[in-house]
Amino acid sequence: MLNSVMHQRLIRILLLSLAYFAAGWLGLKIPFTGSHITLVWLPAGIAVAALLRWGSAIWPGIFMGAFLVNLSIGSTVTLAVGIAMGSTLGSLLASGWLRRVGFQTSFHQKRDVSMLIVAACLGMALSASIGVTSLYLADIMPLRDTGPAWLTWWMGDVVGVLLAAPLILTLNRINLAQLAHVPREVLIWILVATPLAWFAFIHEYSYLGGALPLAFLTLPLVAGAALRFGITGASLSGLGFSVVAALGLFTGKGTFSLEDEQISLFLLWAYMITTAITGLLVTVLQTEQRQVEHTLKESEEKLRGLFNLSPLGIALTDMKGHFLEFNDSFLRICGYTSEEVKALDYWALTPKKYEADEAKQLESLERTGVYGPYEKEYVRKEGNAIPLQLNGMLVTGKDGQHYIWSIIEDISERKQMVADLRIAAIAFESQVGIMVTDANGVILRINRAFSEDSGYTEEELVGQTPRLLKSGHHDENFYAEMWNSIRHTGVWQGEIWDRRKNGEVYPKWMTITSLKGEDGVVTHYVSTQIDITERKTAEDEIRSLAFYDPLTQLPNRRLLLDRLQQALASSDRDHGQGALLFIDLDNFKLLNDTLGHDKGDVLLQQVAQRLSSAIRERDTVARLGGDEFVIMLLNVNTQFADVADQVEIIGEKILNLLNQPFLLDSHEFQSTASIGITLFGTNDETIDNLLKQADLAMYQAKEAGRNTLRFFDPEMQVVVDAHMSLVKELRRAIRKDQLVLHYQPQVDSDSNCMGAEALVRWKHPKQGIIFPDEFIPAAEELGLITELGKWVLESACKQLAAWSTKPFTNHLCLAVNVSIQQLRQQDFVEQVQSILDRTGADPTKLKLEITESSLLIDTEDVIAKMMMLKSKGIGFALDDFGTGYSSLTYLKSLPLEKLKIDRSFVLDVMTDPNDASIVKTIVALAQSLDLAVIAEGVETEEQREFLARAGCHDYQGYLYSQPIPPDKFELFLTQR
């Protein structure tokens, strides 16, 4: 195997040396400076191409070829070695640099052309330097001639690389087959190019440089060869024209044979380089364009001619601006058909505002033969303006008349990209903190908002990693889950705590997005982050106001219910037993009436302190309101009989504590209490039943003479059972159409009715109208709420459809309450859609109201259903806001339109500072989340004015109307 590789390498070295020698020997037949320097040194291109194709191990072939060719012209061995060494090292430098920067020999990208030019300039500078130095040291060239000689040597080598290297690198079966497939076109091209080359470079004119314009007419031919015959055709055409041009200069007859030899030389080099680069760039541009359009227009591209293949608009006009020829791209740009374009006046496309610019371009065209690039607009057939960039050149037709070839580029996307970049730059400096890192997490850039939030300057953070900001608030599992989400979904968002430069730990809402390149590999990470300190503070404040009694700082009813729910779940799981003690102060009203409410508040605070001191840390003491307290005891004992005994002992202890005198400022006050007790943990209890049982027991203690305690007696449930017997009739009531809907108006700040809330009533045949608070809770417990809710929704949609037919009601929206049981139904979305289809109600007028408790279970499922319904036009409002206990962070992801302030806060808003604070906080939170807000239970003008000052301008309540039947509701509208 090794011998085979060595054999192949030796053959390649021999072939390279022979090719180098042959090309060099021919080149030195037309030397420019002495016998060692020529206008074009094609062996340089052969050497670079060979090194790129076969590897650097074949460098001896370059050295041998250069050494032999210099010996053949009489150079000494020393001089030949020096020149050969320079040629070898220069080629190695050029090819080595190209490999290092990822040069592709197929020339599929413009960067490959740029890299070849740079490599040629670098490598051949070394070759020229060593070669000229060798000539000087050999006393063949005086020092004064070394500068021009170096430039000539360098330029000749550079041009040789640009002409020969692409040809050799792309000379393969595929590219040769491309030429073989179009022999007629190749022949036509040769027939056109040969006379043009003759007249441009060989024909002797009466004055020097007379054919200079013709020389540059070869460039479209090179471009045409590139477009039609590929890079090999472009390289061959460029090489052919360059060789003919060099021969013309050598014979003194060509285009570049001017009186000034240096100008002639530079013009020739410029022409050769332009020819080579034109062919390469056109080929690269064509390749890139074909790669983009290949999948969509492959069959079409095979049928297009060279003219119509151009992605740029190309048009031929006479000097009066009439369009004679044009390609499909030009038609697409202007929007006209071919026949319409031929009949167009030039100024029908070009707005008159460009007259001055057009005159300048025409003057440049007449003076230099070319115009542009310059930007202007065309007015398309549709009437809209399209930005363009134009380039053109003056040509002479067969009739001797001048014509203009123009290349027209649609730069709409470029303009849009510039605009998008400008917008992106402005967005980057928004109020949201933004950080950009590389794929390794190294910070590349931050914006001003991020710097202000973190306290670090951009200079302090760039080059660091986000670990600098870690607060220690999160464990490793948190970050592992974060990066797992980013790797699998490309994004993560959530709440995170970071540390500012001053050491302060603060919360923020962060979104991290991974950016991937075309290869699917992550290149950057972008994080946006918002300081949510104020939101968290507001959340904590609302939570405190919502779950703690402001007077005693004890848990309130809401928090008690939450803990009781947890306790019941825990007792079911662990078989633990507990007790509820319902405590009511005896004769508390008398204290308020005699000593004043301030003394009553002091008593309540001291009672709270004594009760808290009497229980364990795991137990709960809560104030329900007024003078009512509840104590929840957990895991009292495992034997039920012992539980009762122990709870009784605790109850007696509490009674004794409360019997001790209280010092209310300077007044000593003696108080007693009545306690009702119920036990839980042995049966399937509910929260409501337990509270009712303890409450009933407390009243039994009151009836027993106060200052005592009583356990719940099941016979107390007789009254409750009587109520339940009524509820059992509810199922029959739904079937017998005993339910009706009443509608309570919702008005804006100008008292205009904008909608209503549908509220169900039970029209009992014997008891008359029964309100929902008497049967809805039981309906939920008995599983009737979904059937009831469906009836309410369908009835409301029928009413909504009826209103839509009347001019004074067709603007109304209708709010309908939806229970958590309805939301948890798998087919809830389908049910709503079916009802809308049956009734013909407008979904945009339907507003579904949900409570915060609906979000505690299967949150993601509920949000998904809300999203689907919102996509159909249905709106959502969060009802009784502030009374629940769900996390406020969910509000960000909920598709809500409105928050509804609960009537319990509105009721005492004028007398209770805590309720006033809650209302203001809720309104501020809604405004920060861009949500509307409405208050229910508005009964007085003072309440409305307070709400208006707080920023709430939509109202519902008895101040405007109680819930009324549909006919009275419509009468209500007509009377306003």
Side-chain angles (χ1 to χ4, degrees), residues 412-427:
S412 301
E413 291 186 4
R414 185 196 308 170
K415 292 279 189 181
Q416 185 62 46
M417 186 180 300
V418 171
D420 291 345
L421 289 174
R422 189 180 300 112
I423 293 171
I426 295 173

Side-chain angles (χ1 to χ4, degrees), residues 310-315 327-331 333 406-410:
S310 172
L312 306 175
I314 302 175
N327 62 357
D328 291 341
S329 295
F330 180 79
L331 293 177
I333 288 173
S406 297
I407 299 177
I408 303 99
E409 179 183 4
D410 179 357

Side-chain angles (χ1 to χ4, degrees), residues 558-770:
R558 299 185 189 99
L559 186 53
L560 173 66
L561 296 179
D562 180 45
R563 292 184 179 178
L564 185 53
Q565 179 68 50
Q566 296 179 32
L568 291 177
S570 176
S571 65
D572 288 342
R573 183 177 60 252
D574 303 330
H575 305 292
Q577 298 176 21
L580 278 185
L581 285 72
F582 200 112
I583 303 169
D584 184 88
L585 301 182
D586 298 329
N587 302 314
F588 179 72
K589 184 176 183 299
L590 181 61
L591 170 65
N592 280 335
D593 294 341
T594 55
L595 298 182
H597 288 276
D598 57 333
K599 297 299 187 293
D601 289 345
V602 174
L603 175 63
L604 293 174
Q605 291 172 336
Q606 293 186 19
V607 168
Q609 294 172 0
R610 294 188 186 185
L611 293 178
S612 298
S613 67
I615 63 172
R616 300 164 299 179
E617 184 176 351
R618 63 186 178 186
D619 300 327
T620 297
V621 56
R623 181 189 176 207
L624 297 188
D627 59 344
E628 294 180 340
F629 296 83
V630 171
I631 292 178
M632 180 178 67
L633 304 176
L634 300 178
N635 299 323
V636 179
N637 205 313
T638 58
Q639 299 298 323
F640 193 81
D642 294 337
V643 170
D645 292 340
Q646 291 186 41
V647 172
E648 185 175 7
I649 293 172
I650 295 172
E652 294 291 350
K653 175 183 176 183
I654 292 172
L655 287 176
N656 291 331
L657 276 175
L658 298 180
N659 284 337
Q660 301 301 315
F662 292 89
L663 185 62
L664 309 179
D665 295 335
S666 59
H667 299 275
E668 185 176 290
F669 182 77
Q670 191 78 30
S671 178
T672 62
S674 299
I675 302 177
I677 303 173
T678 187
L679 306 178
F680 62 86
T682 59
N683 298 306
D684 294 331
E685 300 96 346
T686 66
I687 294 176
D688 287 342
N689 284 343
L690 289 176
L691 288 173
K692 291 174 183 177
Q693 291 170 5
D695 191 33
L696 289 172
M698 184 272 295
Y699 278 108
Q700 190 178 32
K702 292 276 189 185
E703 293 174 359
R706 305 177 189 270
N707 195 24
T708 186
L709 60 85
R710 287 290 185 271
F711 281 84
F712 170 71
D713 183 352
E715 293 182 0
M716 300 175 187
Q717 197 68 35
V718 173
V719 177
V720 177
D721 291 341
H723 173 71
M724 290 305 297
S725 66
L726 177 68
V727 174
K728 289 179 182 179
E729 301 179 41
L730 180 59
R731 191 186 304 274
R732 186 166 57 253
I734 297 174
R735 292 196 302 267
K736 292 189 175 183
D737 202 22
Q738 295 177 2
L739 300 179
V740 295
L741 289 184
H742 285 188
Y743 302 92
Q744 186 170 32
Q746 295 177 336
V747 302
D748 59 19
S749 57
D750 296 325
S751 297
N752 296 319
C753 184
M754 58 187 182
E757 180 180 3
L759 299 169
V760 66
R761 301 289 187 264
W762 183 359
K763 196 173 183 180
H764 196 279
K766 295 180 179 180
Q767 301 184 32
I769 295 296
I770 299 177

Side-chain angles (χ1 to χ4, degrees), residues 72-88:
S72 70
I73 60 173
S75 299
T76 64
V77 172
T78 303
L79 178 58
V81 167
I83 294 175
M85 184 182 300
S87 299
T88 304

Side-chain angles (χ1 to χ4, degrees), residues 13 21 70 239 348 351 376 416 437 542 555 611 709 853 890 929 934:
I13 290 173
F21 176 78
N70 279 279
L239 178 61
K376 70 172 186 178
Q416 185 62 46
T437 75
I542 290 179
L611 293 178
L709 60 85
S853 61
Y890 280 119
L929 295 173
I934 184 172

Side-chain angles (χ1 to χ4, degrees), residues 899-951:
L899 297 182
K900 197 167 188 179
I901 303 175
D902 186 63
R903 67 178 67 251
S904 63
F905 298 129
V906 177
L907 179 63
D908 296 325
V909 73
M910 303 305 299
T911 58
D912 190 334
N914 297 304
D915 284 344
S917 298
I918 291 176
V919 169
K920 291 179 181 179
T921 304
I922 292 173
V923 173
L925 181 62
Q927 291 174 345
S928 70
L929 295 173
D930 197 24
L931 298 177
V933 62
I934 184 172
E936 62 177 351
V938 181
E939 299 181 357
T940 66
E941 184 63 27
E942 290 77 11
Q943 292 172 342
R944 187 201 66 78
E945 290 177 355
F946 174 86
L947 292 166
R949 290 194 300 272

